[in-house]
Amino acid sequence: MNNLVILPLLIPLLTGILLIFFRKQIKVQRYVTTLSLLLLLAVTALLTHQVSIEGPQTLNVGGWEPPFGIVLVADMFAMLLVMATVIVTFCCMLYAFRTVGEEREKHYFYMFVHFMIVGIMGSFLTGDLFNLFVFFEIMLLSSYILISLGGKKDQLRESLKYVLINIVSSMLFIVAIAYLYSITGTLNFADLSVKIAETGQDGLITTVAIFLMLVFAIKAALLMYFWLPGAYVVPPMAISAMFAALLTKVGIYAIFRTFTLIFYHEAVITHELIGWLGVATMILGGIGAVAYWDLRRILAYNVIIAVGFIMIGLAVFTETALAGSIYYLIHDMIVKALLFLLGGVMIGLTGTDQLREMSGMIRNHALLGWMFFLAAFALAGVPPLSGFIGKLLILDGAIDEGFYVMAAVGLITSLMVLYSVMKIFMNGFWGENQLSVEDEKMSTKGLLFPCAILAVLSIGLGVGVEWVNVYALQAAEVLNNPQVYIDAVLQN
Amino acid sequence: MEILMSVLVGILFTAGTYLVLAKSLLRIVLGTSILGHGALLLLLTMGGIKTGAPPLLGLESTTYTDPLPQALILTAIVINFGTLGVFLVIAYRSYQELGTDDMEELRGTEDE
């Protein structure tokens, strides 16, 4: 029992409620948001430290013992993601203070961001399947609002599709929960794992597992990504960056959690399927990224490619590959947020998102240009930066285990990623300078600071592999050896 | 009883799917609601229909009904209503803003 585990949920929840009362005072809202996120950062850092020393921490909510009550579990995998979530949100909020506009701020923008954070944190920390559904819904309800907030035509149109897809997939989630409950009689992750290990994973359970994977795949944009480019293109860039960095990662986390902890007995069927879905996702996402000349769409398709690549690590299912996936997941959260924020500055300066209409921005905005260059290289996995080590570990694991096709597709799509982001860089920053400082639609004042934090983190993750690797390996160990998780939950 | 419930769930899913595939926005919204009801009934059926006394200690009974599915459903119903409300609001706003509730006309174009 560790009461600290609930604080990552409680702080944003209470802040969100508090912000309702300061609707008109935008300054107060901004200060409260900054303070609460800094507090959250301190709490998660402390909790991560505890987890790294004492192993997974749990909290039985209301004092009910695990298989029966609600349990929150903070293991290293969850904590790393929680940490990355807080950092990304902090940077996106610093960016949003300047860009999101007074109208949205007055209409509870920060409040919904905080509630979304509650949902995301809850999904990472929850220890049973039904609460995963509940926290998913909290996150999704807030994201519906954030997409449609502002009420422009394209926003409403895309949010209709997004809402519909997610409601239908949530209903399928309930159906999967119902089947699983009737088969096993429990919904607690640890208890499910024990029960399925005892009785063996027969065909029925595997079917339910694949059904559950379908649900998570829709949320994670694994092959079922058709809703993603539209939904991530329409909201303001600060929100798009948060979505790209966080929302699909929750689905990925859910797939990793269920398929390493519960349904790991039939890896030949389920994990192989996940791998091939990943391959298809990478190829289709890569084609999308290369095809478009629209900055936002290229970035949105890059989100999809990363999802596919992370899944290769799960398909290979060795400790090296899992550590690689975890590493890549964290890298991807930070770099995706960085790229979207920088893309937002580019769109803000030129007033268009068409690459053919912008050029030569590096003359007036050298720092912006070089940061984009750095982010592009990090995304493609060029050595000193953060993407490299994750990519290396995943590919290393894949080749060791004989998954040659998956490794090859991973490498080829890396080139597609590099081409697509370099296309943005070359069209946006090289060539004739069309835009004098007076013509720019907005100033970059204060916008580059949050981007710089993320860029430094990306370099730090790459250069400081030795320090971060300790945590990634610890997280991979829990994933690879479910007994650690089960013991932490059921025997405390 | 379980068989009857399963048939009902099937009917609800059929109707819900049919409505979600319709052209009119309002039908789609109602379709998601009906799909949701089907899923909730399935959860109740799968958890086991009433098999013993109510789950209250102190009653003189040897078997008790499992209270968990009902707790789950209570939560899921609230969420279902919440999402339905949001969906209705967004649908209404888009009808106001875009001037149509026909999904064919809501497709939009690339260069908008």
Side-chain angles (χ1 to χ4, degrees), chain A residues 455-470:
Chain A
V456 168
L457 269 173
S458 168
I459 298 171
L461 269 179
V463 178
V465 179
E466 290 296 320
W467 294 301
V468 188
N469 210 18
V470 182

Side-chain angles (χ1 to χ4, degrees), chain A residues 266-384:
Chain A
E266 290 285 350
V268 183
I269 302 172
T270 49
H271 291 63
E272 188 100 13
L273 181 64
I274 290 175
W276 292 117
L277 284 178
V279 167
T281 315
M282 279 194 291
I283 294 172
L284 294 170
I287 292 170
V290 171
Y292 280 97
W293 281 88
D294 172 337
L295 198 156
R296 286 170 179 247
R297 272 183 204 274
I298 293 174
L299 293 180
Y301 275 99
N302 272 309
V303 176
I304 298 166
I305 302 173
V307 175
F309 192 73
I310 293 165
M311 285 306 157
I312 303 291
L314 181 57
V316 174
F317 205 42
T318 59
E319 195 159 326
T320 322
L322 286 173
S325 282
I326 292 162
Y327 217 103
Y328 199 80
L329 201 53
I330 294 158
H331 142 82
D332 196 59
M333 288 168 93
I334 287 168
V335 171
K336 278 289 144 54
L338 175 59
L339 268 177
F340 268 78
L341 293 184
L342 292 173
V345 179
M346 289 169 70
I347 293 172
L349 287 173
T350 54
T352 174
D353 55 7
Q354 297 300 317
L355 286 179
R356 290 200 172 94
E357 292 167 27
M358 51 175 84
S359 104
M361 262 189 279
I362 206 156
R363 304 268 188 279
N364 293 331
H365 300 282
L367 183 61
L368 177 68
W370 290 118
M371 268 202 289
F372 194 91
F373 188 72
L374 185 116
F377 268 30
L379 192 69
V382 172

Side-chain angles (χ1 to χ4, degrees), chain A residues 130 137 157 171 179 181-182, chain B residues 36 46 66 72 79 106 112:
Chain A
F130 191 77
E137 287 303 309
R157 203 177 52 227
M171 289 313 123
Y179 286 139
Y181 186 70
S182 82
Chain B
M46 283 290 161
D66 185 1
L72 300 185
I79 291 171
L106 284 176
E112 200 169 20

Side-chain angles (χ1 to χ4, degrees), chain A residues 443-481:
Chain A
S443 82
T444 58
K445 186 165 160 267
L447 293 181
L448 294 182
F449 175 61
C451 303
I453 299 177
L454 290 170
V456 168
L457 269 173
S458 168
I459 298 171
L461 269 179
V463 178
V465 179
E466 290 296 320
W467 294 301
V468 188
N469 210 18
V470 182
Y471 297 102
L473 278 178
Q474 215 172 357
E477 197 207 322
V478 178
L479 290 187
N480 204 28
N481 181 11

Side-chain angles (χ1 to χ4, degrees), chain A residues 42-78:
Chain A
V43 168
T44 47
L46 183 62
L47 192 55
T48 314
H49 181 65
Q50 282 188 5
V51 171
S52 77
I53 293 171
E54 298 165 23
Q57 301 287 308
T58 62
L59 174 68
N60 305 337
V61 180
W64 293 82
E65 290 296 314
F68 307 109
I70 293 169
V71 59
L72 297 176
V73 188
D75 68 336
M76 191 41 99
F77 181 37

Side-chain angles (χ1 to χ4, degrees), chain A residues 70 110 124 131 174 193 205 233 251 266 273-274 276 278 281 307 361 387 391 404 415 433 481:
Chain A
I70 293 169
Y110 297 117
F124 290 149
N131 280 297
I174 294 188
S193 179
I205 295 178
V233 161
E266 290 285 350
L273 181 64
I274 290 175
W276 292 117
T281 315
V307 175
M361 262 189 279
K391 218 158 233 187
Y404 298 117
L415 286 180
N433 189 12
N481 181 11

Side-chain angles (χ1 to χ4, degrees), chain A residues 130 133-134 137 141 144 148 151 153 156-157 159-160 163-164 167 171 174-175 178-179 181-182 187 292 297, chain B residues 13 28 32 36 39 42-43 46 66 68-69 72 75 79-80 83 86-87 90 94 97-98 106-108 112:
Chain A
F130 191 77
F133 164 74
V134 174
E137 287 303 309
L141 270 171
Y144 301 156
S148 54
K153 281 184 181 173
L156 287 166
R157 203 177 52 227
S159 62
L160 276 178
V163 174
L164 180 60
I167 288 181
M171 289 313 123
I174 294 188
V175 172
Y179 286 139
Y181 186 70
S182 82
L187 289 175
Y292 280 97
R297 272 183 204 274
Chain B
F13 267 107
I28 293 174
T32 58
L42 184 75
L43 185 58
M46 283 290 161
D66 185 1
L68 193 66
L72 300 185
T75 317
I79 291 171
N80 202 2
T83 44
V86 171
F87 200 11
I90 291 177
S94 359
E97 199 72 28
L98 298 154
L106 284 176
R107 272 190 190 151
E112 200 169 20

